[in-house]
Amino acid sequence: MSNLEKRAWIYAVVALVVPVAYAVALLVRAPAGGIAASHYAGPMVAAVVGAIVLNIVAGIVAAMWGPRKAEPRDERDRAIDRLGEYVAFYVFSIAAIVPLVLAMREAPYFWIANSLYLGFSLAALVSSVVKIVAYRRGF
């Protein structure tokens, strides 16, 4: 498994685990007035920063266990990365319609922010899955 494929796996796991942990944290801390009345900004910032830190740390650990010599990126790696990023762009572009509609309907900020966060998380997960499939099945 190449380092770039390992990075895609790490990104996929983090893109799945961190939003789930964020959702559980919100549900556990939900006030009696409903989840939309909760203080979500702190946990959301913690989830975003935590995802960044986890990706960096896991990438360093994976690189330490990998081959000592860095593998050069070839045309296939660039094409797979490009495909994953294209798919992520379209997934997020479609997912961004939800917070846009919520804003137009003057929904509470909680729902707008969380639908936007879900769109980012979904785009990251789909991008990683596309890259993993391309590495495994060939591109």
Side-chain angles (χ1 to χ4, degrees):
M1 180 182 316
S2 72
N3 284 334
L4 294 173
E5 186 180 353
K6 286 179 193 174
R7 297 284 300 157
W9 276 102
I10 290 167
Y11 202 60
V13 170
V14 170
L16 182 64
V17 170
V18 172
V20 169
Y22 167 70
V24 168
L26 280 184
L27 291 173
V28 168
R29 297 175 42 173
I35 194 166
S38 66
H39 297 287
Y40 65 92
M44 185 180 288
V45 169
V48 171
V49 171
I52 292 168
V53 170
L54 274 173
N55 270 310
I56 291 170
V57 170
I60 291 170
V61 169
M64 288 180 357
W65 285 341
R68 295 287 177 222
K69 187 176 179 184
E71 303 159 355
R73 288 182 66 156
D74 59 7
E75 186 59 36
R76 178 177 178 256
D77 292 326
R78 283 189 283 280
I80 289 172
D81 187 55
R82 192 176 317 119
L83 175 65
E85 296 307 315
Y86 283 158
V87 172
F89 170 77
Y90 288 114
V91 167
F92 184 72
S93 296
I94 292 168
I97 293 170
V98 174
L100 183 63
V101 169
L102 288 171
M104 288 178 190
R105 300 203 27 104
E106 298 179 0
Y109 294 140
F110 173 87
W111 296 112
I112 297 170
N114 281 289
S115 64
L116 195 57
Y117 178 67
L118 179 63
F120 280 125
S121 299
L122 187 62
L125 182 62
V126 169
S127 171
S128 297
V129 168
V130 165
K131 290 176 186 180
I132 291 166
V133 169
Y135 275 114
R136 290 292 167 156
R137 295 206 176 156
F139 181 77

